[in-house]
């Protein structure tokens, strides 16, 4: 349970969902059979999804946006989290590949027919130089990428623009 609060703000900008988290997990788990790209808001769903994937034993790569939020969260200390979550975030930071270069390498691995060992790619808004989004868009457009892109209600502007430009 979350800590006591005098005010609770509820954001339903992605819609109000009646189904519980377990239902969402089961829907997403159905896509975990191959290479997967999950666009996620770095300051929103990214760490929640990363912890869930880590618990399932699924390897992943966090782009620079997601990795930055992970490291920022770790500076807060254990007292700011539900018991046990800070330690899970520490373990995640020690074991997960991070950064836009790691994302590029994972995409290249798929292009070399190594798809079975490809981690889930968690992409927030990519680096300002826009290296990741155009690479992913080109990979999807030329048909050499076996990643499935699953939108969970979020698409970073840079990725949306790159996918539009690739069509």
């Amino acid at each position: 349970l979350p800590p006591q609060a005098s005010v609770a703000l509820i954001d339903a900008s992605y819609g109000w969902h009646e189904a519980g988290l377990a239902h969402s997990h089961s829907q997403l788990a159905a896509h975990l059979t191959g290479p997967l790209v999950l666009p996620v808001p770095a300051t929103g769903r990214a760490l929640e999804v990363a912890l869930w994937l880590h618990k399932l034993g699924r390897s992943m790569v966090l782009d620079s946006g997601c990795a930055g939020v992970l490291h920022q969260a770790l500076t807060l200390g254990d007292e700011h989290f539900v018991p046990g979550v800070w330690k899970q975030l520490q373990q995640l930071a020690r074991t997960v590949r991070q950064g836009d270069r790691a994302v590029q390498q994972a995409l290249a691995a798929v292009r070399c027919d190594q798809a079975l060992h490809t981690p889930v790619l968690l992409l927030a808004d990519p680096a300002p130089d826009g290296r990741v989004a155009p690479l992913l868009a080109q990979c999807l457009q030329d048909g050499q990428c076996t990643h499935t892109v699953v939108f969970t209600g979020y698409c970073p502007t840079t990725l949306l623009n790159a996918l539009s430009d690739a069509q």
Side-chain angles (χ1 to χ4, degrees):
L1 292 175
Q4 290 284 339
S6 58
V7 175
L9 298 177
I10 300 173
D11 177 7
S13 58
Y14 297 119
W16 187 261
H17 303 284
E18 295 294 326
L21 191 56
H23 176 72
S24 297
H25 282 169
S26 68
Q27 286 187 312
L28 190 53
H31 296 282
L32 293 177
T33 58
L36 188 65
V37 173
L38 290 174
V40 290
T43 58
R45 196 170 300 124
L47 295 184
E48 177 186 351
V49 171
L51 287 173
W52 176 69
L53 290 169
H54 189 66
K55 182 179 178 181
L56 294 177
R58 186 67 195 256
S59 64
M60 73 195 88
V61 176
L62 304 179
D63 76 353
S64 61
C66 296
V69 170
L70 172 60
H71 292 285
Q72 185 179 16
L74 288 172
T75 66
L76 296 175
D78 187 40
E79 67 275 7
H80 294 279
F81 295 92
V82 172
V85 170
W86 194 67
K87 289 187 188 293
Q88 292 173 19
L89 290 172
Q90 285 180 311
Q91 184 179 18
L92 182 67
R94 285 192 302 270
T95 59
V96 72
R97 291 171 43 204
Q98 303 171 36
D100 294 335
R101 183 141 180 87
V103 172
Q104 291 172 322
Q105 290 168 345
L107 284 171
V110 172
R111 297 178 81 138
C112 297
D113 297 326
Q114 299 171 7
L116 292 177
H117 304 290
T118 301
V120 175
L121 308 179
L122 296 180
L123 301 181
D125 229 345
D129 63 10
R131 292 175 293 167
V132 174
L135 179 64
L136 176 60
Q138 181 60 42
C139 182
L140 292 169
Q141 183 186 30
D142 66 19
Q144 295 183 27
C145 183
T146 58
H147 276 87
T148 300
V149 181
V150 176
F151 294 99
T152 62
Y154 173 79
C155 183
T157 304
T158 50
L159 179 56
L160 184 61
N161 291 341
L163 289 171
S164 296
D165 292 344
Q167 290 181 351

